[in-house]
Amino acid sequence: MANRVSKTLLFSLFVSSFLAAASAGNFYRDVDITWGDGRGKILRRGNSLSLSLDKASGSGFQSKRAYLFGRFDVQMKLVPGNSAGTLTSQGNMHDEIDLEFLGNQSGSPYTLHTNVYSQGKGNREQEFHLWFDPTMKFHTYSVIWNPQRIIILVDNIPIRVFGNSESIGVPYPKNQSMKIQASLWDAEDWATQGGKVKTDWSKAPFTAYYRNLSALTTDSDGSKGWLTQDLDVQGRKLLRWVQMHYMIYNYCADRNRRFSHRECSRSRLL
């Protein structure tokens, strides 16, 4: 999350019944707007936040705290209409857990791009189309990050699990604290149909909205169930449903790449 491709730890990116009792955070208290020259705004006494993009600049924020493991949730409403070329992202530095929302032409679905980096090594992309319009209302995006696995959820439905496979030599992010970051920026060179569709700046400014950011960590009050969170039978059924109907890319199914990733031979739930 070191660059402007905002990467999200999210949330609890994450992530079921993964619902835990947690009070929503306050953006004044919990985050800093880090760039954008006024295009990022904290609203409603700290209960919501907006990021905007125009031809001159995008905008972004990051958490004041860094975290080592936790459950992270945020509600987002994405850029509506023709959002081709825009990238709304959340993630973390060095080690990274990324959710990136690739904009679209009107009538085409957003692509949710996920990736996991550890010790500078990534290239573990999975991409999805969502089963709803993420611009019409707020939806919850979550990340559960514990020593055993990372679970990414959308509206408490698991879409991805990345397990700790250090026993077979696969790096896993567990030694570095990370901050939550989010940004909205111009990625027209590659974000929509590989860069074929450019940003229509006549539709600017583009704005995404955030609310109910929360982080459950080892020093939080209440249940620590996320520390050993795994998928139950229903969770595994939902994960298979998402991967069967809404996954559009999986690095483990890419014949040109899967053999360079040892974890691809271990489990279908990656």
Side-chain angles (χ1 to χ4, degrees):
M1 303 173 42
N3 56 25
R4 289 185 178 178
V5 178
S6 132
K7 301 156 185 182
T8 290
L9 207 205
L10 278 183
F11 309 151
S12 278
L13 264 137
F14 345 132
V15 44
S16 17
S17 161
F18 297 173
L19 276 178
S23 60
N26 183 283
F27 285 102
Y28 281 122
R29 181 191 66 209
D30 297 333
V31 310
D32 293 313
I33 295 176
T34 49
W35 64 285
D37 195 22
R39 292 172 179 82
K41 295 181 173 66
I42 297 176
L43 310 169
R44 299 176 57 243
R45 298 182 180 180
N47 291 317
S48 62
L49 183 150
S50 66
L51 296 179
S52 293
L53 164 71
D54 57 33
K55 197 165 186 177
S57 178
S59 51
F61 70 84
Q62 74 174 20
S63 61
K64 295 178 185 290
R65 285 190 55 190
Y67 304 94
L68 182 62
F69 305 129
R71 173 184 169 132
F72 309 87
D73 303 87
V74 72
Q75 292 185 322
M76 295 175 55
K77 184 164 70 170
L78 300 184
V79 174
N82 186 350
S83 57
T86 65
L87 175 63
T88 309
S89 61
Q90 304 159 277
N92 308 5
M93 300 183 239
H94 309 301
D95 290 350
E96 298 177 6
I97 304 167
D98 292 348
L99 279 75
E100 299 176 353
F101 298 85
L102 310 185
N104 59 21
Q105 291 178 295
S106 297
S108 301
Y110 265 85
T111 295
L112 171 52
H113 173 100
T114 69
N115 205 347
V116 177
Y117 287 78
S118 181
Q119 301 173 28
K121 297 179 180 179
N123 297 321
R124 292 179 165 87
E125 303 95 339
Q126 289 185 355
E127 294 183 340
F128 306 85
H129 285 158
L130 299 172
W131 50 95
F132 53 83
D133 183 345
T135 72
M136 295 297 293
K137 64 180 183 178
F138 285 91
H139 291 269
T140 302
Y141 303 91
S142 306
V143 172
I144 292 170
W145 172 36
N146 63 38
Q148 296 81 37
R149 64 194 58 84
I150 293 161
I151 305 171
I152 299 175
L153 303 99
V154 176
D155 288 339
N156 292 305
I157 294 175
I159 67 168
R160 178 170 187 176
V161 176
F162 183 82
N164 184 335
S165 297
E166 290 181 303
S167 62
I168 58 172
V170 178
Y172 183 81
K174 66 182 182 66
N175 297 315
Q176 300 186 76
S177 298
M178 296 192 273
K179 289 189 174 183
I180 297 168
Q181 291 188 349
S183 63
L184 176 61
W185 58 287
D186 175 22
E188 68 174 3
D189 290 343
W190 63 273
T192 304
Q193 296 180 29
K196 295 177 182 178
V197 181
K198 302 300 184 182
T199 304
D200 182 355
W201 293 110
S202 70
K203 301 294 194 297
F206 304 100
T207 304
Y209 295 91
Y210 301 77
R211 70 184 187 188
N212 293 336
L213 174 67
S214 69
L216 288 174
T217 62
T218 53
D219 58 358
S220 300
D221 294 333
S223 172
K224 302 293 191 298
W226 59 266
L227 258 175
T228 56
Q229 182 88 51
D230 197 356
L231 297 185
D232 58 14
V233 172
Q234 180 63 15
R236 289 193 292 272
K237 287 181 179 178
L238 288 170
L239 179 63
R240 291 189 183 99
W241 173 75
V242 171
Q243 295 190 341
M244 180 178 296
H245 296 287
Y246 297 100
M247 177 182 282
I248 60 173
Y249 180 79
N250 179 5
Y251 74 105
C252 278
D254 188 332
R255 293 183 179 180
N256 295 321
R257 300 177 60 196
R258 64 172 300 171
F259 299 110
S260 63
H261 294 283
R262 297 180 183 179
E263 70 272 18
C264 290
S265 62
R266 169 167 279 197
S267 172
R268 296 177 59 191
L269 302 181
L270 292 169

